[in-house]
Amino acid sequence: MTVFICLILFTPLLGATLLALAGRAISRRLSGVLACLCVAGSLAGAIAGWSALAESGSTTQTIHLFTWFSVAGLNASFSALYNHLAAVMATMVAFVSLIIHVHSYFFMRDDESWVRYFCYLNLFVFFMQVIVLADNLIFLFMGWEGVGFCSFALIGFWYTDPSRVMAGRKAFLVTRVGDVAFIAAMAVLFYATNSLGIADILGATGTLAPATVTLVGLLFLWAAAGKSAQLPLLVWLPDAMAGPSPVSALIHAATMVTAGVYLLIRLFPMLVLSTLTMEVIAALGALTALFAACAALAQHDIKRVLAWSTISQVGYMVIGVGIGDPNGSFFHLLVHAFFKSLLFMVAGIVIQALHEEHDIFKMGARVRKIAPGTALAFFCGAAALAGLPPFAGFFSKGTILEHALTSAVHGPPIWMAVWAAGTVTALLTALYSFRVFFLAFTGKPALEPDTKTEKTPPAMLHVLWPLALLSVVAGALNMPEHVAMQLGIPPHWLDHVLGNLAGPVMEHPDQHLASMAELIDGSLALVGFAIALFIYGPWRIRKPAADKGLAAAMQRGFGLDYLYMTYVARPYRAAADLIWKNVEDGGVDSAALGLGGIAVRAGNRARRWGEDKLTSYLLWLLLGLVIMLVIVAAVGIR
């Protein structure tokens, strides 16, 4: 097993190292192939490790690689906690990363910084796999910070554009706010358990005080909110679309942005012990999902629609954790990775074919001629995102809403609010998904388009068809029993694979509630499709909403950026300027300069005094010498 874990972790790191040291010495093609092969090695290790785990009959294995340091009882070891949850996640990360690497080989074909790009991508995959496999929280935090650094470097990859650099800085700073809570949670856990090993912590949850569990749970929720772009720390993700489209697909849709959710799923056996923590998690996810879906409805930039959509869908995953269905949350995490990475990469093909045009109101049916096949691929992803039966998203999102409905029927009122927010969000999701599809791929462009186009390699799209297929059929991974029986496939396969590794598995809703939830979800997806067709259909005259009122507020994310700038960034800058000018320049620097001046003046006086005294000493010495010579001469004459 150690060999497989090393393959998963270190082949991408090897690729990044080789590219950093010798990337410019080898050919452009070889460096790209090397990067892809290293990720393929990680995928091979993940599949082989998963197979070995299944054959061993054990559910969990801890593999110790080496000890980083050990001080005063604090042990930081590079150890992997490998169970079926980690095995599935590692396989998904490597699989999606490999497709994105191959897609990037064509997408970045004319970029001068080719080697630097693939070096960052390989490094990112290494750090992401660290998050997936780490047993020790310090080891995990290293991966947590590593993906943050790679995200910063890849968002601002085209660093000659100041706006892209600013977007990278914004992502880096906002996610660091969440990281402070991660460090605080580690400190509390070490104080309470004297260990930072995840297996040790989960084994000791029964001994933790309820207040400690609640505190640690809320701190980890805050950390997850930063990494997974949940309220109030979501402002960095829409601007992060400044990076290349494959980067958006890899980091800001399929992997890093779900790291916070994955952390909550891993720690679920501890989180579930605090009712307050679970309610806050569910409420935060529901509020974020609804908030982001409203914002997505008014966007003109195709990538910003998908960015807000990502925030909303991650909100569903957070709801799944909060209502006690971590398996359902993980199911949606997997399916979302397939269809959202597909949507981002198809959007990238369209943008490149239209000579960097992002506005969906300037696209229209001409896209189908310029980039054949993209409309079908995008529809597969959009239908899965919308939860249209029988696409994969219908089953993954439906599972979460089914459990939310069960909680709403049998639980306190807050669960009814969570289910209602999730259900309204489902309708909005279908509406904005098909709005983008109809505007970007059908009818006449609503606004005068730029006539410049660029031919794109067909292989850029061909490599995406596996993701399109998974967007259609991945629902079979965890199909409800009554549907699975009709299709002759195993029901709830993913639940059986994961077992209770992530925590106590919530019982499936009774058939009556499950059927009701499926009927509601499917109907809402169809209603959203019909509304989008009626408003934005190919025969309609489509006009963008006026840049004022509610539409403008939705387009600007309800002014959350403005609030941060007004009440956080500007006061911080003012305080920094005040400290700089009055404390540093006027206080510390002035005091230091004053003391230095006093020292200089004292030195000058001492020097002059010394010079004067020295002169006097020399004169008296000379006089004495003359006197002695005179005396000696007088005695000699006698």
Side-chain angles (χ1 to χ4, degrees), residues 559-571:
L560 200 56
D561 257 331
Y562 174 78
L563 292 177
Y564 270 110
M565 288 300 296
T566 304
Y567 297 107
V568 178
R570 285 176 187 164

Side-chain angles (χ1 to χ4, degrees), residues 263-322:
L263 177 69
L264 295 180
I265 293 173
R266 273 211 140 183
L267 299 175
F268 183 79
M270 178 180 63
L271 302 179
V272 76
L273 298 178
S274 169
T275 303
L276 175 61
T277 301
M278 297 296 282
E279 290 177 350
V280 172
I281 290 174
L284 181 68
L287 188 60
T288 303
L290 183 59
F291 180 92
C294 292
L297 273 175
Q299 302 301 315
H300 292 191
D301 186 325
I302 188 170
K303 287 182 68 177
R304 289 183 74 87
V305 176
L306 299 178
W308 281 107
S309 160
T310 298
I311 296 170
S312 180
Q313 295 303 303
V314 175
Y316 274 115
M317 301 171 206
V318 174
I319 291 175
V321 175

Side-chain angles (χ1 to χ4, degrees), residues 18-58:
L18 291 175
L19 289 173
L21 296 177
R24 295 184 183 279
I26 60 179
S27 70
R28 184 182 175 91
R29 174 176 293 184
L30 182 58
S31 59
V33 171
L34 174 66
C36 295
L37 287 176
C38 287
V39 179
S42 182
L43 176 60
I47 295 172
W50 189 3
S51 176
L53 182 68
E55 290 177 0
S56 69
S58 61

